Amino acid sequence: MVMKPTKAVKKSQYDQKLCRLLDDYSQVLVVVADNVGSTQLQNIRKGLRGDSVILMGKNTMMKRSIKIHAEKTNNSAITNLIPLLVGNVGLIFTKGDLKEVREEIAKYKVGAPARVGLVAPIDVVVPPGNTGLDPSQTSFFQVLNIPTKINKGTVEIMTPVELIKKGDKVGSSEAALLSKLGIRPFSYGLVVHTVYDNGSVFSPEVLDLTEDDLVQKFAAGVSAVASLSLAVSFPTLAAAPHMLIDGYKNLLAISVGSEYTFSQAEKVKEYLKDPSKFAAQVPVAAADTPAATAPAKEEKKEEPEAESDDDFSFNLFE
């Protein structure tokens, strides 16, 4: 008869497994596992098999193992995981692309009915249309103030109705109505809560950033630095081009208002002394256009006159 391992042995084995994973993997996804069944979790394990490992367990055991392992290995970075172990959470150790792993996890979400007392994770809206219910079921709709009408012997909802708001508890009437309509409004699965990567901890929203988003944010940061530098007159690399241009404008203004000059200001001063050098270029081109088109118009006017002379130049008595 095979002896079952004791609790102490199980804890030791769990501790060894967690420590081994912390040594082998530098990327960890902290996931929330609320309302996730064992079969669903097993399917996720199969889908991630190859480059990722899912580890579930008691938060106190995981915190203790991480703390002791950090002291033994002098790796204080992994202690950043300890504050994240709150609630019904698990750890996914991976060597793959974090965004791809998150997308793979999202594939295994399953629909779930609205149970009484459950906190709604999303807004629930009942769409308009024929419900297929007989007129005797209208009491459910009346209790929830849902406008209906009888159409061809069945109850029909007239307008979309927001039945449950996000964060509200599901009542018995709402649960009964959704069950009769066959609506499973909620879906559950592992949800990535936080990302750990080589000691850094950040939100999973960072995984959605593209190169264009990074360039846009970088440009906004450079613009902010340049604006601040110009406001306090402190030179920085971002503000240097603007400061040089402003300096050139100031020197140009001094040069125009005095006899002092330099090579970049001579052309401007020359234009200011004789503005006709500008004006001569733009109007001449405009003046050439009507002059060139005028003879063409005159020729077109002469053609019908020549045709009329030819048409009426014969003698009626011949």
Side-chain angles (χ1 to χ4, degrees):
M1 183 177 178
V2 179
M3 296 293 294
K4 293 184 178 180
T6 61
K7 290 184 178 180
V9 173
K10 287 182 179 180
K11 288 183 179 180
S12 177
Q13 292 175 349
Y14 183 88
D15 180 72
Q16 293 175 7
K17 182 178 181 180
L18 178 55
C19 293
R20 186 177 67 254
L21 291 173
L22 289 171
D23 290 336
D24 295 343
Y25 295 86
S26 61
Q27 299 180 140
V28 183
L29 298 178
V30 181
V31 294
V32 179
D34 291 338
N35 302 300
V36 178
S38 57
T39 303
Q40 185 180 1
L41 185 60
Q42 187 64 25
N43 292 333
I44 298 174
R45 290 182 189 273
K46 291 179 181 178
L48 297 177
R49 188 171 295 167
D51 59 357
S52 303
V53 178
I54 300 177
L55 182 67
M56 308 296 293
K58 292 183 178 180
N59 293 344
T60 52
M61 288 182 60
M62 289 191 286
K63 290 179 180 179
R64 176 180 174 277
S65 297
I66 292 172
K67 185 177 180 180
I68 294 174
H69 188 67
E71 293 175 353
K72 288 182 179 180
T73 59
N74 293 324
N75 183 10
S76 60
I78 60 176
T79 57
N80 293 334
L81 287 169
I82 294 178
L84 307 177
L85 301 176
V86 179
N88 187 17
V89 298
L91 302 177
I92 299 180
F93 297 84
T94 181
K95 293 182 180 179
D97 183 84
L98 293 173
K99 185 176 181 180
E100 292 179 359
V101 173
R102 188 185 63 166
E103 291 173 352
E104 183 66 24
I105 295 171
K107 294 179 182 179
Y108 295 91
K109 285 188 176 182
V110 296
R115 297 186 179 92
V116 178
L118 190 68
V119 177
I122 59 172
D123 294 333
V124 179
V125 178
V126 178
N130 197 311
T131 63
L133 301 176
D134 58 86
S136 63
Q137 306 291 329
T138 54
S139 58
F140 287 104
F141 301 96
Q142 293 174 354
V143 171
L144 298 170
N145 296 322
I146 299 177
T148 59
K149 65 178 181 179
I150 306 302
N151 185 15
K152 297 181 180 180
T154 58
V155 179
E156 181 178 335
I157 299 175
M158 299 174 61
T159 58
V161 178
E162 187 178 16
L163 189 63
I164 308 172
K165 292 184 178 181
K166 181 179 179 180
D168 293 347
K169 287 187 177 181
V170 179
S172 57
S173 299
E174 291 88 348
L177 177 61
L178 292 172
S179 177
K180 287 181 177 294
L181 296 177
I183 297 175
R184 299 167 66 89
F186 306 141
S187 60
Y188 297 108
L190 293 181
V191 179
V192 178
H193 181 264
T194 315
V195 180
Y196 170 90
D197 188 359
N198 289 306
S200 300
V201 177
F202 51 89
S203 170
E205 296 175 355
V206 176
L207 302 178
D208 297 325
L209 293 176
T210 62
E211 292 185 1
D212 294 337
D213 295 329
L214 296 176
V215 171
Q216 184 177 359
K217 290 183 179 295
F218 179 77
V222 171
S223 177
V225 171
S227 300
L228 180 61
S229 299
L230 293 173
V232 299
S233 300
F234 182 82
T236 61
L237 188 61
H242 303 282
M243 289 181 171
L244 290 174
I245 292 174
D246 290 342
Y248 169 72
K249 290 180 179 178
N250 293 334
L251 290 175
L252 185 60
I254 294 172
S255 177
V256 170
S258 65
E259 296 181 357
Y260 171 78
T261 185
F262 55 96
S263 58
Q264 289 81 1
E266 291 178 355
K267 191 173 183 179
V268 177
K269 296 178 74 173
E270 182 182 351
Y271 283 144
L272 292 176
K273 289 180 181 178
D274 188 8
S276 61
K277 291 185 177 180
F278 292 118
Q281 297 177 2
V282 178
V284 168
D288 291 343
T289 304
T293 55
K297 291 181 178 179
E298 292 178 0
E299 291 177 1
K300 290 181 179 179
K301 290 180 180 180
E302 292 176 355
E303 287 179 359
E305 292 177 1
E307 290 176 359
S308 61
D309 292 338
D310 294 336
D311 293 338
F312 298 98
S313 61
F314 59 90
N315 191 344
L316 293 174
F317 299 98
E318 290 181 358

